[in-house]
Amino acid sequence: MYTPVLSIHSWLRWLTLLLAVGATINAWRPDRDLSLKPPGRHWDTFFMMALDFQVLFGLLLYFGLSPVTKFGLENMGVALGNSNLRFWTFTHLGAMVAATATVRVGRVLAINAKTPADRRKWRFLFFALTTLAILAGIPWPGLANGRPLFRF
Ligand code: HEM
């Protein structure tokens, strides 16, 4: 199970990133009327869905399938002192939990906004922050904890 779930998690990163960038660009579009739905709101929905699925597969790996995080969780002291283990046990999880929180904060602020300008501002700001958190948490090749861009 570990390998297929890791592969799904790896490939789904691209869809999530595409939707993150798309939703952020879309949120910048002018928003003029609070009585109407925000422009291109489907971007928001699909972005949040993709992120939720990523989190689901991530948690499955983190608490069940990954030998790396199993070792890290059982040996927190060792994990803190080793950059690769620290990344998988704390940093990756932290960045992605932060991303999950910021996207939701943005949505709630946008839903409760009093003016269309505020709605636009909150969507854009928090989707951009979410995208940055995701980008920062990905194990890009070349980093000490790097992983392949495409897993076959
Ligand atoms: C709470 C959310 C998340 C958790 C708990 C989580 C957890 C994990 C774990 C445990 C691994 C495998 C480590 C290993 O066995 O070596 C992993 C790999 C990875 N995660 Fe996450 N993840 C989360 C969210 C995300 C998100 C949102 C993205 C990107 C959109 C992402 C991108 C990746 C990538 C690219 C890999 C490497 C896959 C590979 O080796 O090919 N993760 N994640």
Side-chain angles (χ1 to χ4, degrees), residues 2 5-17 50-70 84 87-89 92-100 133-135 137-140 145-151:
Y2 173 53
V5 173
L6 189 62
S7 296
I8 294 170
H9 193 64
S10 181
W11 282 98
L12 196 57
R13 150 233 334 232
W14 295 114
L15 180 65
T16 311
L17 262 182
L51 186 57
D52 283 349
F53 273 113
Q54 254 322 50
V55 169
L56 183 76
F57 287 116
L59 291 174
L60 217 70
L61 286 166
Y62 192 90
F63 290 110
L65 303 172
S66 166
V68 183
T69 50
K70 183 178 178 347
N84 184 49
F87 177 82
W88 289 113
T89 312
H92 182 69
L93 172 76
M96 299 318 185
V97 166
T100 315
I134 293 173
L135 282 170
I138 287 180
W140 298 109
N145 41 265
R147 291 288 176 86
L149 291 179
F150 305 101
R151 198 171 270 277

Side-chain angles (χ1 to χ4, degrees), residues 105-126:
V105 170
R107 270 279 273 205
V108 170
L109 287 172
I111 287 168
N112 294 312
K114 298 278 183 282
T115 67
D118 276 352
R119 184 166 70 174
R120 179 186 186 218
K121 177 181 74 186
W122 293 131
R123 278 169 92 211
F124 177 75
L125 186 68
F126 279 86

Side-chain angles (χ1 to χ4, degrees), residues 71-83 85-86 89-90:
F71 182 85
L73 286 171
E74 285 167 0
N75 304 275
M76 293 259 188
V78 181
L80 279 170
N82 173 296
S83 66
L85 274 179
R86 190 169 55 238
T89 312
F90 304 107

